[in-house]
Amino acid sequence: MGNSLKAIVAFVPSDKCQKYLLEDLEEMPVDKMVDLSGRQLRRLPLHICSFRELVKLYLSDNNLNHLPPELEQLQNLQILALDFNNFKALPLVVCTLKQLCILYLGNNKLCSLPLELRLLQNLKTLWIESNCLQSLPEVVCELSLLKTLHAGSNALRTLPAQLQRLQELRTIWLSGNLLSEFPPVLLDMPFLEVIDVDRNSIRFFPSLAHLPGLKLVIYDHNPCRNAPKVAKGVRRVGRWSEETPEPRKRSGAVIEITLDEKPSPPPAAKPEPE
């Protein structure tokens, strides 16, 4: 079915037209996954909420701005993709899905996140990139198992000090924000492995050599006067990245450390839960 025809049918709320968009998805799929991405949907068909064993639900690239309360029936859901829609607020019913491990909210119109998000204590990956966030919602700092946070392409100027609570956090993507200085809270998070502050307004980088878990730092496209110093084996992407990281002294001699390869940018593919 062509996208233009789907777009026309999507305006018609009848059940017959909605089934046409779903291409006769009537029964619970064997793989416990439903992918309705790019179907021009304006509302979630209620019979999807009857698939109570569903584990993965992809609703990306539609025209959704709300979700039905019946979604609460999907208590086995682990992955929910709501990116590339028209949400101005996160529907509170999402916060009732307590088994969620991965939540995609990127490319919407979110200016905040509800306090009820704290109920998702199994959440390990949160994508909130390309929204309208001027500050990182502090409720994110209450997601104790969070390992990966994608918050790029917003309007963030600072990060809350409470972020330090997230001791499981390993990867943070902050590219394309309005950071004028390297977020101080990140200096107190020794467990971080990947820090991306590409495309911000950072003019000076403090040393990151004291972060024992760090593996990769991306700092390109900043008006910085220096490259961040890093420990041996840490990869850097940015201006002066070919220079040596923090030198190591051995028997009075300075041993230079060279980096032979540069890492690839973050993957476009969405990960599966661990």
Side-chain angles (χ1 to χ4, degrees):
M1 185 198 316
N3 285 334
S4 58
L5 181 55
K6 284 183 179 179
I8 295 173
V9 174
F11 276 102
V12 183
S14 72
D15 289 338
K16 184 176 181 180
C17 288
Q18 293 299 308
K19 288 181 179 180
Y20 183 53
L21 287 171
L22 295 178
E23 299 176 0
D24 296 324
L25 179 61
E26 296 288 348
E27 297 181 357
M28 170 76 182
V30 176
D31 60 3
K32 298 182 180 181
M33 179 185 77
V34 169
D35 188 352
L36 299 178
S37 301
R39 302 291 184 95
Q40 304 291 330
L41 296 175
R42 295 179 177 274
R43 62 182 177 90
L44 179 65
L46 289 181
H47 82 274
I48 297 298
C49 300
S50 67
F51 299 163
R52 300 197 176 198
E53 299 302 315
L54 202 64
V55 173
K56 306 173 187 177
L57 178 57
Y58 296 93
L59 300 173
S60 308
D61 193 20
N62 281 292
N63 296 304
L64 300 172
N65 57 27
H66 69 281
L67 294 172
E70 289 83 357
L71 189 72
E72 186 178 2
Q73 299 176 43
L74 303 182
Q75 286 300 312
N76 290 295
L77 207 61
Q78 296 181 27
I79 301 179
L80 178 60
L82 299 175
D83 46 332
F84 292 94
N85 276 284
N86 294 316
F87 291 103
K88 294 183 179 180
L90 179 65
L92 293 182
V93 66
V94 172
C95 301
T96 68
L97 306 174
K98 296 183 180 181
Q99 297 303 314
L100 279 183
C101 296
I102 300 179
L103 179 58
Y104 300 106
L105 300 175
N107 290 273
N108 279 284
K109 301 173 183 178
L110 301 174
C111 295
S112 63
L113 293 174
L115 293 177
E116 289 81 356
L117 189 72
R118 63 165 66 109
L119 299 175
L120 302 182
Q121 285 299 309
N122 285 307
L123 207 61
K124 294 182 179 179
T125 298
L126 177 62
W127 292 49
I128 51 175
E129 77 284 2
S130 299
N131 275 286
C132 305
L133 299 170
Q134 296 185 11
S135 61
L136 185 68
E138 292 187 7
V139 67
V140 173
C141 304
E142 300 186 41
L143 303 173
S144 59
L145 295 184
L146 200 65
K147 290 188 174 183
T148 302
L149 175 60
H150 288 256
S153 299
N154 280 284
L156 305 181
R157 296 181 181 273
T158 60
L159 295 180
Q162 295 90 328
L163 193 70
Q164 188 180 356
R165 298 175 188 167
L166 299 183
Q167 298 194 14
E168 295 298 321
L169 194 65
R170 297 295 179 266
T171 302
I172 185 165
W173 307 98
L174 298 166
S175 62
N177 276 288
L178 301 175
L179 300 172
S180 59
E181 66 173 343
F182 186 83
V185 66
L186 300 184
L187 299 175
D188 295 323
M189 300 177 71
F191 35 81
L192 283 175
E193 297 179 358
V194 177
I195 299 175
D196 177 13
V197 289
D198 182 34
R199 294 185 293 113
N200 277 277
S201 301
I202 301 172
R203 294 186 175 276
F204 175 79
F205 280 94
S207 174
L208 306 179
H210 66 289
L211 299 179
L214 195 61
K215 297 179 180 178
L216 166 65
V217 56
I218 304 174
Y219 65 96
D220 210 4
H221 304 101
N222 280 280
C224 52
R225 304 188 301 270
N226 69 311
K229 293 180 179 180
V230 294
K232 180 180 179 179
V234 179
R235 300 173 180 176
R236 298 182 296 184
V237 175
R239 192 177 182 188
W240 309 294
S241 64
E242 69 279 1
E243 295 182 4
T244 59
E246 192 80 354
R248 292 285 184 269
K249 292 184 178 180
R250 184 178 301 168
S251 301
V254 174
I255 307 300
E256 291 189 348
I257 302 164
T258 58
L259 302 176
D260 295 325
E261 57 180 324
K262 294 181 179 180
S264 301
K270 295 176 180 175
E272 297 290 328
E274 297 181 355

